[in-house]
Amino acid sequence: MILDPFKLPKHVAIIMDGNGRWAKKQGLPRIFGHQRGVEVAKKIINKTWELGIPVLTLFAFSKENWERPKEEVTALFELLKNYLDSELKNLKEKEINFRVIGDKEDFPKDIQEKLEFVEKATEKYNRLILCMALSYGGRAEILKATKQIAEKVKKNEIEPFEINEEIFRKFLYTKNLPDPDLLIRTSGEMRISNFLIFQSAYTEFYFTEVCWPEFTEEEYLKALLSYQKRIRKFGKVYEF
Ligand code: FPP
């Protein structure tokens, strides 16, 4: 599989789906799927870094995931804490900037503190920006931005006619980041599920039947290759 190094996406976003189904198929509790999912995430992060793709966003916990059984949510928190503790060294060595998009304040204090610690410890790096979407929902993000802009209008800091896409973007969690060029979703589901809905207006989608715990570097390369074959028109006419 030969990738064109000049046509790599600048931002890849991934919906890591199918952990529960994969575990069930093996006759294991769902959390085993998540556990393996973390190992896969680590491999894909390293591969992204190796390829020199500048931004990777992983959907690790959605606003809707709070509705899952308490034991599953707690187990996911444990995995996140272990990830942060065990990976900080690797993030620093590889000069990876770790960022959270979503409502950090929804999490228990100890997790919030860990997340902020890792964000702070890696803020000076830029070899790869690793965005972890946690307690993230696209609609909630858009509503939050709208409320903040409305406050500014109320205080006469901005006129309604001045509100444009560029300004609106500054109030999103992803401010200063390019829109995702490629969005991958595993496990055969073909939905966006409230992930980066504003930012993915012109994103290329790649769906695979493979569940996240079985997603390999080779599968990742396949997705990237598929992306490189696409003709991106951004609503314009493409001249052959
Ligand atoms: C979707 O599978 C996955 C999640 C809700 C959690 C994703 C989190 C991870 C893979 C861990 C990554 C975390 C770190 C710290 C890198 P599902 O449970 O919805 O699967 P199902 O649709 O088969 O039930």
Side-chain angles (χ1 to χ4, degrees), residues 128-194:
L128 167 67
I129 296 173
L130 171 61
C131 282
M132 202 69 85
L134 290 166
S135 197
Y136 174 86
R139 288 181 179 173
E141 178 183 38
I142 291 168
L143 287 170
K144 197 170 181 177
T146 307
K147 284 180 199 159
Q148 286 172 350
I149 294 169
E151 283 295 333
K152 294 217 170 278
V153 171
K154 203 163 122 189
K155 290 188 206 147
N156 287 322
E157 287 170 14
I158 181 170
E159 292 289 337
F161 75 88
E162 289 175 314
I163 303 166
N164 58 20
E165 210 179 291
E166 197 190 331
I167 290 178
F168 197 84
R169 281 173 184 280
K170 293 200 168 87
F171 294 87
L172 297 173
Y173 292 120
T174 51
K175 58 174 176 283
N176 306 327
L177 292 179
D179 285 342
D181 298 299
L182 171 65
L183 188 147
I184 300 171
R185 183 171 191 157
T186 57
S187 88
E189 305 293 345
M190 295 194 227
R191 292 186 290 278
I192 190 161
S193 297
N194 206 11

Side-chain angles (χ1 to χ4, degrees), residues 16-21 30 34 37-38 41 60 65 68 80 83 212:
M16 309 176 286
D17 200 6
N19 293 347
R21 270 164 291 162
R30 294 174 57 80
H34 295 315
V38 176
N65 287 155
R68 294 198 172 195
L80 178 62
Y83 170 82
W212 181 251

Side-chain angles (χ1 to χ4, degrees), residues 40-234:
V40 173
K42 284 188 202 164
K43 270 197 211 134
I44 297 306
I45 294 165
N46 283 343
K47 190 72 200 171
T48 308
W49 177 86
E50 227 175 86
L51 289 166
I53 294 171
V55 188
L56 174 68
T57 300
L58 298 176
F59 204 2
F61 196 85
S62 71
K63 280 267 179 211
E64 293 70 30
N65 287 155
W66 290 105
E67 305 298 320
R68 294 198 172 195
K70 198 169 174 294
E71 316 81 76
E72 186 172 343
V73 171
T74 313
L76 280 168
F77 287 176
E78 282 309 305
L79 287 177
L80 178 62
K81 278 197 268 185
N82 290 342
Y83 170 82
L84 294 170
D85 287 340
S86 63
E87 279 304 291
L88 181 57
K89 189 164 170 274
N90 182 43
L91 295 173
K92 282 181 169 173
E93 270 169 19
K94 291 198 161 69
E95 303 190 345
I96 296 174
N97 173 202
F98 175 89
R99 293 186 196 178
V100 175
I101 59 166
D103 294 325
K104 256 188 310 209
E105 59 277 13
D106 292 347
F107 286 92
K109 203 94 201 112
D110 60 329
I111 297 191
Q112 271 181 54
E113 283 170 6
K114 258 191 209 305
L115 290 168
E116 276 158 15
F117 181 79
V118 176
E119 283 185 311
K120 189 99 194 101
T122 63
E123 71 184 357
K124 59 178 179 292
Y125 302 132
N126 64 3
R127 290 266 319 260
L128 167 67
I129 296 173
L130 171 61
C131 282
M132 202 69 85
L134 290 166
S135 197
Y136 174 86
R139 288 181 179 173
E141 178 183 38
I142 291 168
L143 287 170
K144 197 170 181 177
T146 307
K147 284 180 199 159
Q148 286 172 350
I149 294 169
E151 283 295 333
K152 294 217 170 278
V153 171
K154 203 163 122 189
K155 290 188 206 147
N156 287 322
E157 287 170 14
I158 181 170
E159 292 289 337
F161 75 88
E162 289 175 314
I163 303 166
N164 58 20
E165 210 179 291
E166 197 190 331
I167 290 178
F168 197 84
R169 281 173 184 280
K170 293 200 168 87
F171 294 87
L172 297 173
Y173 292 120
T174 51
K175 58 174 176 283
N176 306 327
L177 292 179
D179 285 342
D181 298 299
L182 171 65
L183 188 147
I184 300 171
R185 183 171 191 157
T186 57
S187 88
E189 305 293 345
M190 295 194 227
R191 292 186 290 278
I192 190 161
S193 297
N194 206 11
F195 188 40
L196 301 175
I197 51 178
F198 183 92
Q199 299 86 340
S200 61
Y202 287 101
T203 297
E204 296 294 330
F205 287 11
Y206 180 87
F207 300 106
T208 169
E209 291 290 323
V210 176
C211 285
W212 181 251
E214 287 188 322
F215 193 76
T216 55
E217 283 181 7
E218 203 185 340
E219 291 293 337
Y220 190 30
L221 295 183
K222 260 199 243 171
L224 293 168
L225 203 63
S226 162
Y227 167 80
Q228 293 197 331
K229 288 186 185 143
R230 315 261 178 108
I231 294 164
R232 303 188 74 193
K233 298 195 294 188
F234 300 95

